[in-house]
Amino acid sequence: MKDSLNRALARYQRTFLAFTTGQKLVAVLGTGALLLAGFLVFRWASAPSYSPLFSNLSAKDASAVVDKLDAEGTPYELTDGGSTVMVPKDKVYSSRIALSGEGLPSGSEGGYSLLDKQSLSTSQAQEQTNFKRAMEGELSNTVEAIDGVQTAVVHLALPQKQVFADKQEPATASVLVATKPGATLGAEQVQAIVHLVASSVDGLDTDKVTVADSSGKVLSSTDESGAGGAASTRAQEISDYQDQTKNRIQAMLDRVLGAGNSTVTVTANLDFDKSVTETKKYSYDKNNVPLSQTENTEKYSGQGAGSGVTGVVGPDGQMDSSTTTGTGDGSAYEKTSKTSDNAVDTTVERRENAPGAVRNLHVSAVMDAAKARNISGATIQGLIASAVGIDANRGDTIQVSTLPFDRTAEKAAAAELAAAKKADASANQMDLIRNSGLVVLVLLIVLLAWLKGRKRAKARAEATSYVVEQLRAEQLERAAAAAVEPSPAMLALESTEQSETEEMLDELAALVERQPEDVASLLRGWLVERP
């Protein structure tokens, strides 16, 4: 086995020494590349898969967790700026249980955990300070839960309670937020932060909360009425409504005229005033039965001074002649009153108009004269009016015009695009030619190397076969000359000679591999000199 291995190594060595310089370089580089690829594949296959152990850790907790993992010899990785600790997937639960037993992570940077270690000796001022710090920590964690917010710091100013309300100072708050790379906070998110903080603190109004980013820019409104934030929200709503209306009209015109042959502008005036209207109506149905009914009758008779109509003087000083009667012989009257309490239906209607209604809408559209020759402007105007709901009673206007479009920029862009495509095609063609030339060159080199190797192999085979035939002929001549049965000593001698012959054949093969042309020339010389 050892001899076979040595002979194989020797054969490989002789083969490598027979290579040219270029072939040796290719062989060395190829072998190195294979070894490197195998090493990388083995390393990738043997690398453990990591999973999060803890996330959103403070700097203090992350340091303590890392120190504990180092002490236990557990491999780890830090991500998210050091706030997330990753460990191998098969060690997540065991490491988490072990660290929890050690009280990690402790979460000692704020929150209501600050109130856990208070004692009876804690003063009122210290208690209030700890409560304020706990509130600030909890609010910071709440704000950090919003998408796009990386870190947040909340400061509260909570004045002491006063006996009289008119002397009570208002509570205020300030929020400093740092966004994640590439993220920005919208107006709605800022308003959400303001309302979250204001709703979490007793007696804190939204206009007393200030939100700023890490660059020092105030994100919340700076006035007491909050008009700054509301104005940005209103502007965004107006812009969204105008874009939505414009896109509907533009899509319709593109289907009729083609893309790029029309342009649309929309201006909307939205009503953001909130109004409440209450209407109270009373109705009575005569067919309904009265709730209550009262009837009184008064009669009087007696001697009178004369005949005539008599009655009761009313509140306005007039005589009520309809309820009294009299005769010439005396006086008499009769009074009847009837009161009915009927059910009256009452309807109270309360309407609250939501902000955002359209006060008026103005639309203008321009069509390319070259594309709209056979299209009536009145037709397009009617289509637009029906699509967006133009109402002339509320002051809406619409204007459709046909004008020639300036295509200079489009032609220049088309020319540049064509030139760029041509340049790309030329570059691709040159790359194809260059790559094809390289491939052909490599194939030629391989073909020449193969032909040269084939020539050397043929010369080596001829030289080796000639030498072997010569040795066989000499052995046959020796055997014929002896013409006797070989003795054990002769057999041993022949075995030794056979081993020597094999070694000589190996040496001859190596010589032929190293210098095939020289050996072939030598053999041709022997053949010429031989009688």
Side-chain angles (χ1 to χ4, degrees):
M1 181 68 182
K2 184 176 180 181
D3 295 338
S4 300
L5 182 61
N6 291 331
R7 285 196 297 270
L9 292 176
R11 184 167 61 254
Y12 292 150
Q13 183 179 5
R14 291 192 299 268
T15 303
F16 180 75
L17 293 175
F19 287 166
T20 61
T21 304
Q23 292 175 339
K24 291 180 180 179
L25 181 61
V26 172
V28 171
L29 293 178
T31 305
L34 290 176
L35 293 176
L36 180 61
F39 173 74
L40 293 177
V41 171
F42 174 76
R43 184 177 180 182
W44 172 77
S46 60
S49 178
Y50 283 82
S51 296
L53 179 63
F54 296 110
S55 301
N56 298 325
L57 292 175
S58 62
K60 184 177 180 180
D61 289 340
S63 177
V65 170
V66 167
D67 292 340
K68 190 64 178 178
L69 293 177
D70 287 333
E72 295 179 355
T74 303
Y76 63 89
E77 292 181 356
L78 296 177
T79 59
D80 295 337
S83 61
T84 302
V85 180
M86 308 280 288
V87 297
K89 185 178 294 185
D90 57 345
K91 296 182 179 296
V92 171
Y93 300 106
S94 59
S95 300
R96 188 174 295 171
I97 293 173
L99 292 174
S100 298
E102 298 291 335
L104 296 175
S106 61
S108 59
E109 285 202 355
Y112 291 122
S113 60
L114 294 174
L115 305 177
D116 296 337
K117 299 180 181 180
Q118 292 190 135
S119 61
L120 294 176
S121 61
T122 303
S123 62
Q124 184 178 4
Q126 186 176 2
E127 182 180 356
Q128 292 178 354
T129 303
N130 290 338
F131 176 76
K132 186 172 77 69
R133 292 177 57 195
M135 287 292 296
E136 292 173 348
E138 291 295 330
L139 289 174
S140 298
N141 296 332
T142 303
V143 174
E144 289 176 357
I146 297 177
D147 292 339
V149 178
Q150 185 173 7
T151 56
V153 179
V154 179
H155 295 288
L156 300 177
L158 305 177
Q160 294 182 355
K161 296 293 184 180
Q162 300 294 332
V163 178
F164 301 100
D166 57 349
K167 294 183 179 181
Q168 179 65 45
E169 295 292 334
T172 59
S174 61
V175 183
L176 179 66
V177 294
T179 58
K180 295 180 180 179
T184 56
L185 293 180
E188 295 181 355
Q189 291 177 306
V190 174
Q191 291 298 318
I193 294 175
V194 171
H195 285 83
L196 280 174
V197 176
S199 302
S200 302
V201 181
D202 184 20
L204 180 60
D205 296 331
T206 56
D207 56 350
K208 300 297 182 181
V209 180
T210 303
V211 181
D213 59 7
S214 57
S215 63
K217 180 181 178 181
V218 178
L219 302 178
S220 60
S221 60
T222 57
D223 55 355
E224 296 182 355
S225 62
S232 61
T233 304
R234 292 176 182 178
Q236 184 65 35
E237 291 183 5
I238 293 174
S239 178
D240 293 341
Y241 179 79
Q242 293 178 164
D243 293 340
Q244 182 181 5
T245 306
K246 175 183 176 181
N247 292 335
R248 291 206 307 266
I249 299 174
Q250 191 66 61
M252 181 183 63
L253 294 180
D254 289 343
R255 293 287 295 178
V256 176
L257 302 174
N261 297 320
S262 62
T263 180
V264 180
T265 303
V266 176
T267 302
N269 184 13
L270 303 183
D271 185 6
F272 291 97
D273 296 336
K274 183 178 179 181
S275 60
V276 179
T277 304
E278 290 187 359
T279 304
K280 184 179 289 186
K281 296 181 180 179
Y282 299 96
S283 61
Y284 166 67
D285 190 359
K286 296 180 179 181
N287 297 324
N288 293 336
V289 179
L291 298 177
S292 62
Q293 188 173 3
T294 303
E295 183 176 355
N296 295 325
T297 303
E298 295 182 4
K299 293 182 179 181
Y300 175 78
S301 61
Q303 296 296 326
S307 61
V309 179
T310 61
V312 180
V313 178
D316 55 354
Q318 301 294 327
M319 185 71 71
D320 188 1
S321 60
S322 62
T323 58
T324 61
T325 60
T327 62
D329 297 335
S331 63
Y333 76 92
E334 180 180 353
K335 178 181 179 182
T336 302
S337 64
K338 186 176 181 181
T339 303
S340 298
D341 294 333
N342 297 308
V344 178
D345 296 333
T346 304
T347 303
V348 179
E349 182 180 3
R350 186 177 186 273
R351 291 187 178 184
E352 182 175 347
N353 296 326
V358 180
R359 288 181 177 175
N360 48 64
L361 187 64
H362 308 280
V363 180
S364 64
V366 181
M367 301 181 297
D368 188 8
K371 301 294 182 179
R373 294 177 180 176
N374 300 325
I375 299 177
S376 174
T379 303
I380 299 298
Q381 184 172 347
L383 292 175
I384 296 176
S386 300
V388 299
I390 296 296
D391 187 1
N393 295 327
R394 67 182 181 186
D396 296 353
T397 60
I398 181 173
Q399 180 68 33
V400 177
S401 303
T402 302
L403 298 173
F405 277 22
D406 185 7
R407 304 287 185 177
T408 305
E410 296 181 4
K411 293 180 180 179
E416 292 180 0
L417 183 60
K421 289 183 178 179
K422 185 177 181 180
D424 292 340
S426 300
N428 294 333
Q429 187 177 4
M430 292 299 297
D431 292 338
L432 180 61
I433 294 174
R434 183 173 62 254
N435 295 334
S436 301
L438 291 176
V439 170
V440 172
L441 181 60
V442 170
L443 292 177
L444 288 176
I445 294 174
V446 172
L447 180 60
L448 292 176
W450 179 74
L451 293 176
K452 189 174 182 180
R454 184 179 180 184
K455 182 178 180 182
R456 289 182 177 180
K458 184 177 180 180
R460 182 169 60 252
E462 292 178 354
T464 304
S465 60
Y466 178 78
V467 172
V468 171
E469 292 296 333
Q470 291 296 326
L471 292 176
R472 287 180 179 176
E474 291 178 359
Q475 289 179 358
L476 291 175
E477 291 178 359
R478 291 177 183 176
V484 294
E485 181 152 354
S487 61
M490 293 180 63
L491 292 175
L493 181 60
E494 289 180 357
S495 176
T496 303
E497 291 179 352
Q498 186 176 1
S499 299
E500 293 178 353
T501 302
E502 292 179 356
E503 293 180 357
M504 183 173 60
L505 289 175
D506 292 338
E507 293 179 358
L508 288 175
L511 179 62
V512 171
E513 290 179 355
R514 289 195 301 269
Q515 300 175 350
E517 296 179 356
D518 296 339
V519 174
S521 300
L522 180 62
L523 291 176
R524 283 194 294 270
W526 286 357
L527 292 174
V528 173
E529 294 177 357
R530 188 173 181 178

